[in-house]
Short mmCIF file of all heavy atoms in Angstrom, two decimals:
data_model
loop_
_atom_site.label_atom_id
_atom_site.label_comp_id
_atom_site.label_asym_id
_atom_site.label_seq_id
_atom_site.Cartn_x
_atom_site.Cartn_y
_atom_site.Cartn_z
N PHE A 249 182.93 -103.97 -18.80
CA PHE A 249 183.80 -105.14 -18.76
C PHE A 249 183.80 -105.86 -20.12
O PHE A 249 184.91 -106.23 -20.63
CB PHE A 249 183.34 -106.15 -17.67
CG PHE A 249 184.09 -107.41 -17.65
CD1 PHE A 249 185.36 -107.40 -17.00
CD2 PHE A 249 183.63 -108.57 -18.24
CE1 PHE A 249 186.12 -108.62 -16.97
CE2 PHE A 249 184.40 -109.77 -18.18
CZ PHE A 249 185.60 -109.77 -17.64
N ILE A 250 182.55 -105.98 -20.72
CA ILE A 250 182.46 -106.76 -21.97
C ILE A 250 183.25 -105.94 -23.11
O ILE A 250 183.88 -106.38 -23.95
CB ILE A 250 181.09 -106.98 -22.37
CG1 ILE A 250 180.52 -107.92 -21.35
CG2 ILE A 250 180.97 -107.45 -23.80
CD1 ILE A 250 181.21 -109.31 -21.29
N GLU A 251 183.19 -104.53 -23.07
CA GLU A 251 183.84 -103.73 -24.04
C GLU A 251 185.41 -103.99 -23.96
O GLU A 251 186.20 -104.12 -24.96
CB GLU A 251 183.56 -102.20 -23.87
CG GLU A 251 182.30 -101.82 -24.47
CD GLU A 251 181.68 -100.62 -23.69
OE1 GLU A 251 182.39 -99.80 -23.23
OE2 GLU A 251 180.50 -100.39 -23.83
N GLN A 252 185.86 -104.15 -22.66
CA GLN A 252 187.32 -104.23 -22.43
C GLN A 252 187.66 -105.74 -22.96
O GLN A 252 188.68 -105.82 -23.61
CB GLN A 252 187.55 -104.19 -20.96
CG GLN A 252 188.90 -103.70 -20.58
CD GLN A 252 189.18 -103.56 -19.14
OE1 GLN A 252 188.18 -103.34 -18.33
NE2 GLN A 252 190.30 -103.75 -18.60
N ALA A 253 186.80 -106.70 -22.70
CA ALA A 253 187.08 -108.10 -23.19
C ALA A 253 187.10 -108.17 -24.68
O ALA A 253 188.00 -108.74 -25.33
CB ALA A 253 186.05 -109.03 -22.62
N ASN A 254 186.06 -107.31 -25.37
CA ASN A 254 186.07 -107.32 -26.79
C ASN A 254 187.38 -106.76 -27.49
O ASN A 254 187.83 -107.24 -28.50
CB ASN A 254 184.92 -106.41 -27.31
CG ASN A 254 183.55 -107.14 -27.11
OD1 ASN A 254 182.56 -106.49 -27.13
ND2 ASN A 254 183.50 -108.41 -26.71
N LYS A 255 187.88 -105.66 -26.75
CA LYS A 255 189.19 -105.21 -27.27
C LYS A 255 190.27 -106.24 -27.22
O LYS A 255 191.28 -106.08 -28.09
CB LYS A 255 189.62 -104.01 -26.34
CG LYS A 255 188.76 -102.76 -26.65
CD LYS A 255 189.48 -101.50 -25.89
CE LYS A 255 188.47 -100.34 -25.86
NZ LYS A 255 188.42 -99.74 -24.62
N HIS A 256 190.14 -107.20 -26.42
CA HIS A 256 191.15 -108.26 -26.39
C HIS A 256 190.75 -109.41 -27.23
O HIS A 256 191.12 -110.57 -26.91
CB HIS A 256 191.43 -108.67 -24.89
CG HIS A 256 192.29 -107.62 -24.24
ND1 HIS A 256 193.60 -107.53 -24.33
CD2 HIS A 256 191.85 -106.68 -23.36
CE1 HIS A 256 193.99 -106.56 -23.54
NE2 HIS A 256 192.94 -105.98 -23.02
N ASN A 257 189.77 -109.21 -28.12
CA ASN A 257 189.31 -110.28 -29.02
C ASN A 257 188.62 -111.39 -28.25
O ASN A 257 188.74 -112.63 -28.59
CB ASN A 257 190.44 -110.89 -29.82
CG ASN A 257 190.54 -110.13 -31.12
OD1 ASN A 257 189.57 -109.55 -31.61
ND2 ASN A 257 191.79 -109.92 -31.56
N LEU A 258 187.96 -111.09 -27.19
CA LEU A 258 187.24 -112.04 -26.44
C LEU A 258 185.76 -111.77 -26.45
O LEU A 258 185.44 -110.55 -26.57
CB LEU A 258 187.72 -112.15 -24.94
CG LEU A 258 189.01 -112.60 -24.71
CD1 LEU A 258 189.57 -112.21 -23.28
CD2 LEU A 258 189.19 -114.10 -24.78
N GLN A 259 184.92 -112.68 -26.43
CA GLN A 259 183.47 -112.41 -26.51
C GLN A 259 182.73 -113.03 -25.35
O GLN A 259 183.23 -114.00 -24.74
CB GLN A 259 182.78 -112.80 -27.81
CG GLN A 259 182.72 -114.31 -27.98
CD GLN A 259 181.96 -114.73 -29.25
OE1 GLN A 259 181.54 -113.91 -30.03
NE2 GLN A 259 181.96 -116.05 -29.54
N TYR A 260 181.58 -112.49 -25.04
CA TYR A 260 180.72 -113.00 -23.89
C TYR A 260 180.11 -114.34 -24.34
O TYR A 260 179.54 -114.57 -25.23
CB TYR A 260 179.58 -111.99 -23.58
CG TYR A 260 178.71 -112.39 -22.45
CD1 TYR A 260 179.32 -112.51 -21.17
CD2 TYR A 260 177.37 -112.51 -22.53
CE1 TYR A 260 178.49 -112.90 -20.05
CE2 TYR A 260 176.62 -112.97 -21.47
CZ TYR A 260 177.26 -113.05 -20.28
OH TYR A 260 176.42 -113.42 -19.06
N LEU A 261 180.29 -115.28 -23.30
CA LEU A 261 179.64 -116.58 -23.52
C LEU A 261 178.33 -116.64 -22.59
O LEU A 261 177.33 -116.84 -23.03
CB LEU A 261 180.54 -117.73 -23.23
CG LEU A 261 179.90 -119.12 -23.28
CD1 LEU A 261 179.41 -119.48 -24.63
CD2 LEU A 261 180.85 -120.18 -22.80
N ALA A 262 178.72 -116.54 -21.23
CA ALA A 262 177.59 -116.74 -20.29
C ALA A 262 178.08 -116.29 -18.90
O ALA A 262 179.20 -116.00 -18.64
CB ALA A 262 177.19 -118.19 -20.29
N GLU A 263 177.18 -116.44 -17.93
CA GLU A 263 177.48 -116.38 -16.46
C GLU A 263 177.71 -117.87 -16.08
O GLU A 263 176.92 -118.69 -16.39
CB GLU A 263 176.36 -115.66 -15.78
CG GLU A 263 176.37 -114.22 -15.85
CD GLU A 263 177.61 -113.50 -15.81
OE1 GLU A 263 178.18 -113.54 -14.55
OE2 GLU A 263 178.20 -112.86 -16.72
N SER A 264 178.54 -118.02 -15.03
CA SER A 264 178.70 -119.32 -14.44
C SER A 264 177.50 -119.75 -13.73
O SER A 264 177.12 -120.92 -13.59
CB SER A 264 179.87 -119.16 -13.42
OG SER A 264 180.16 -120.60 -13.06
N HIS A 265 176.69 -118.73 -13.21
CA HIS A 265 175.34 -119.17 -12.62
C HIS A 265 174.31 -118.74 -13.70
O HIS A 265 173.87 -117.58 -13.80
CB HIS A 265 175.09 -118.23 -11.39
CG HIS A 265 175.86 -118.70 -10.23
ND1 HIS A 265 175.60 -119.85 -9.54
CD2 HIS A 265 176.86 -118.17 -9.47
CE1 HIS A 265 176.50 -120.10 -8.50
NE2 HIS A 265 177.30 -119.03 -8.49
N ILE A 266 174.08 -119.67 -14.55
CA ILE A 266 173.19 -119.43 -15.80
C ILE A 266 171.86 -118.94 -15.35
O ILE A 266 171.21 -118.25 -16.17
CB ILE A 266 173.19 -120.54 -16.87
CG1 ILE A 266 172.75 -121.81 -16.29
CG2 ILE A 266 174.40 -120.60 -17.58
CD1 ILE A 266 172.29 -122.84 -17.27
N ALA A 267 171.36 -119.27 -14.17
CA ALA A 267 169.97 -118.90 -13.85
C ALA A 267 169.95 -117.38 -13.84
O ALA A 267 168.83 -116.82 -13.99
CB ALA A 267 169.61 -119.46 -12.48
N THR A 268 171.01 -116.67 -13.53
CA THR A 268 170.87 -115.29 -13.43
C THR A 268 170.62 -114.63 -14.84
O THR A 268 170.25 -113.48 -14.99
CB THR A 268 172.17 -114.63 -12.95
OG1 THR A 268 173.26 -114.78 -13.67
CG2 THR A 268 172.42 -115.10 -11.51
N MET A 269 170.84 -115.45 -15.92
CA MET A 269 170.71 -114.97 -17.31
C MET A 269 169.32 -114.97 -17.82
O MET A 269 169.00 -114.55 -18.83
CB MET A 269 171.61 -115.70 -18.21
CG MET A 269 173.04 -115.61 -17.86
SD MET A 269 174.04 -116.81 -19.02
CE MET A 269 173.88 -116.01 -20.59
N TRP A 270 168.57 -115.81 -17.09
CA TRP A 270 167.18 -116.13 -17.67
C TRP A 270 166.19 -115.07 -17.13
O TRP A 270 165.88 -115.02 -15.93
CB TRP A 270 166.82 -117.53 -17.14
CG TRP A 270 165.58 -118.03 -17.81
CD1 TRP A 270 165.31 -117.98 -19.22
CD2 TRP A 270 164.40 -118.58 -17.36
NE1 TRP A 270 164.19 -118.61 -19.57
CE2 TRP A 270 163.58 -119.05 -18.30
CE3 TRP A 270 164.09 -118.95 -15.93
CZ2 TRP A 270 162.37 -119.75 -18.07
CZ3 TRP A 270 162.89 -119.56 -15.70
CH2 TRP A 270 162.00 -119.93 -16.80
N THR A 271 165.55 -114.22 -18.14
CA THR A 271 164.59 -113.28 -17.71
C THR A 271 163.41 -113.81 -17.05
O THR A 271 162.69 -113.28 -16.32
CB THR A 271 164.21 -112.43 -18.97
OG1 THR A 271 163.80 -113.28 -20.03
CG2 THR A 271 165.32 -111.48 -19.37
N GLY A 272 163.10 -115.14 -17.32
CA GLY A 272 161.96 -115.75 -16.62
C GLY A 272 162.00 -115.76 -15.16
O GLY A 272 161.05 -116.02 -14.51
N ASN A 273 163.29 -115.55 -14.59
CA ASN A 273 163.42 -115.46 -13.16
C ASN A 273 163.00 -114.14 -12.57
O ASN A 273 162.96 -114.00 -11.35
CB ASN A 273 164.91 -115.83 -12.72
CG ASN A 273 165.05 -117.33 -12.90
OD1 ASN A 273 164.07 -118.10 -12.69
ND2 ASN A 273 166.35 -117.74 -13.02
N PHE A 274 162.64 -113.20 -13.49
CA PHE A 274 162.15 -111.88 -13.05
C PHE A 274 160.59 -111.99 -13.02
O PHE A 274 160.01 -112.84 -13.68
CB PHE A 274 162.56 -110.72 -13.93
CG PHE A 274 163.97 -110.33 -13.93
CD1 PHE A 274 164.89 -110.68 -14.73
CD2 PHE A 274 164.44 -109.63 -12.79
CE1 PHE A 274 166.25 -110.29 -14.66
CE2 PHE A 274 165.75 -109.23 -12.66
CZ PHE A 274 166.66 -109.63 -13.61
N ALA A 275 159.96 -110.95 -12.31
CA ALA A 275 158.51 -110.93 -12.53
C ALA A 275 158.16 -110.78 -14.03
O ALA A 275 158.93 -110.20 -14.78
CB ALA A 275 158.02 -109.68 -11.65
N LYS A 276 156.90 -111.27 -14.36
CA LYS A 276 156.57 -111.24 -15.81
C LYS A 276 156.76 -109.86 -16.47
O LYS A 276 157.29 -109.82 -17.63
CB LYS A 276 155.06 -111.72 -15.90
CG LYS A 276 154.95 -112.49 -17.12
CD LYS A 276 153.48 -113.10 -17.09
CE LYS A 276 153.15 -113.72 -18.46
NZ LYS A 276 151.80 -114.18 -18.39
N ASP A 277 156.29 -108.85 -15.85
CA ASP A 277 156.24 -107.52 -16.59
C ASP A 277 157.72 -107.06 -16.64
O ASP A 277 158.11 -106.44 -17.70
CB ASP A 277 155.40 -106.50 -15.91
CG ASP A 277 155.66 -106.37 -14.41
OD1 ASP A 277 156.25 -107.36 -13.79
OD2 ASP A 277 155.32 -105.35 -13.81
N VAL A 278 158.60 -107.35 -15.64
CA VAL A 278 160.00 -106.96 -15.76
C VAL A 278 160.65 -107.66 -16.92
O VAL A 278 161.38 -107.13 -17.78
CB VAL A 278 160.61 -107.35 -14.37
CG1 VAL A 278 162.21 -106.95 -14.56
CG2 VAL A 278 160.12 -106.56 -13.19
N ALA A 279 160.34 -108.99 -16.99
CA ALA A 279 161.00 -109.82 -18.10
C ALA A 279 160.53 -109.31 -19.38
O ALA A 279 161.42 -109.12 -20.33
CB ALA A 279 160.52 -111.27 -17.81
N GLN A 280 159.23 -108.95 -19.62
CA GLN A 280 158.70 -108.48 -20.87
C GLN A 280 159.46 -107.10 -21.21
O GLN A 280 159.88 -106.99 -22.37
CB GLN A 280 157.28 -108.24 -20.91
CG GLN A 280 156.55 -109.63 -20.94
CD GLN A 280 155.00 -109.46 -20.71
OE1 GLN A 280 154.54 -108.50 -20.12
NE2 GLN A 280 154.28 -110.56 -20.91
N THR A 281 159.63 -106.24 -20.32
CA THR A 281 160.19 -104.96 -20.60
C THR A 281 161.66 -105.20 -20.94
O THR A 281 162.19 -104.56 -21.90
CB THR A 281 160.13 -103.98 -19.36
OG1 THR A 281 158.75 -103.95 -18.92
CG2 THR A 281 160.63 -102.62 -19.76
N LEU A 282 162.43 -106.03 -20.22
CA LEU A 282 163.80 -106.26 -20.44
C LEU A 282 163.96 -106.79 -21.93
O LEU A 282 164.84 -106.44 -22.72
CB LEU A 282 164.45 -107.31 -19.60
CG LEU A 282 164.67 -106.88 -18.07
CD1 LEU A 282 165.22 -108.02 -17.23
CD2 LEU A 282 165.74 -105.73 -18.12
N GLU A 283 163.04 -107.74 -22.27
CA GLU A 283 163.15 -108.30 -23.67
C GLU A 283 162.86 -107.25 -24.74
O GLU A 283 163.40 -107.25 -25.83
CB GLU A 283 162.30 -109.55 -23.71
CG GLU A 283 163.05 -110.82 -23.31
CD GLU A 283 162.11 -111.88 -22.94
OE1 GLU A 283 161.12 -112.05 -23.48
OE2 GLU A 283 162.60 -112.61 -22.00
N ARG A 284 162.00 -106.35 -24.30
CA ARG A 284 161.52 -105.28 -25.43
C ARG A 284 162.66 -104.21 -25.57
O ARG A 284 163.04 -103.91 -26.67
CB ARG A 284 160.27 -104.60 -24.95
CG ARG A 284 159.69 -103.61 -25.86
CD ARG A 284 158.23 -103.23 -25.43
NE ARG A 284 158.15 -102.80 -24.06
CZ ARG A 284 158.55 -101.59 -23.59
NH1 ARG A 284 159.04 -100.68 -24.49
NH2 ARG A 284 158.41 -101.25 -22.40
N VAL A 285 163.23 -103.78 -24.42
CA VAL A 285 164.15 -102.59 -24.48
C VAL A 285 165.63 -103.11 -24.75
O VAL A 285 166.44 -102.40 -25.15
CB VAL A 285 164.19 -101.76 -23.30
CG1 VAL A 285 162.85 -101.22 -22.99
CG2 VAL A 285 164.66 -102.49 -22.07
N ALA A 286 165.91 -104.38 -24.51
CA ALA A 286 167.19 -104.81 -24.79
C ALA A 286 167.33 -106.00 -25.62
O ALA A 286 167.29 -107.20 -25.21
CB ALA A 286 167.78 -105.22 -23.30
N PRO A 287 167.36 -105.81 -26.89
CA PRO A 287 167.29 -106.84 -27.94
C PRO A 287 168.55 -107.75 -27.87
O PRO A 287 168.42 -108.90 -28.32
CB PRO A 287 167.27 -106.07 -29.32
CG PRO A 287 167.73 -104.76 -28.99
CD PRO A 287 167.56 -104.42 -27.50
N ASP A 288 169.72 -107.29 -27.53
CA ASP A 288 170.78 -108.21 -27.57
C ASP A 288 171.15 -108.65 -26.01
O ASP A 288 170.79 -107.91 -25.10
CB ASP A 288 171.97 -107.78 -28.37
CG ASP A 288 172.78 -106.70 -27.65
OD1 ASP A 288 173.13 -106.90 -26.49
OD2 ASP A 288 172.96 -105.63 -28.25
N ILE A 289 171.94 -109.72 -26.05
CA ILE A 289 172.29 -110.28 -24.65
C ILE A 289 173.02 -109.37 -23.76
O ILE A 289 172.90 -109.32 -22.54
CB ILE A 289 172.90 -111.60 -24.91
CG1 ILE A 289 173.04 -112.31 -23.59
CG2 ILE A 289 174.31 -111.60 -25.57
CD1 ILE A 289 173.32 -113.84 -23.58
#
Side-chain angles (χ1 to χ4, degrees):
F249 176 79
I250 294 301
E251 277 154 25
Q252 208 176 334
N254 288 164
K255 281 190 197 138
H256 287 278
N257 273 327
L258 295 163
Q259 68 176 359
Y260 183 59
L261 174 66
E263 287 306 301
S264 187
H265 288 291
I266 51 167
T268 65
M269 300 173 69
W270 192 48
T271 47
N273 282 334
F274 287 106
K276 207 169 171 186
D277 52 340
V278 177
Q280 280 169 353
T281 309
L282 286 178
E283 273 157 34
R284 185 169 52 78
V285 302
D288 75 48
I289 188 164

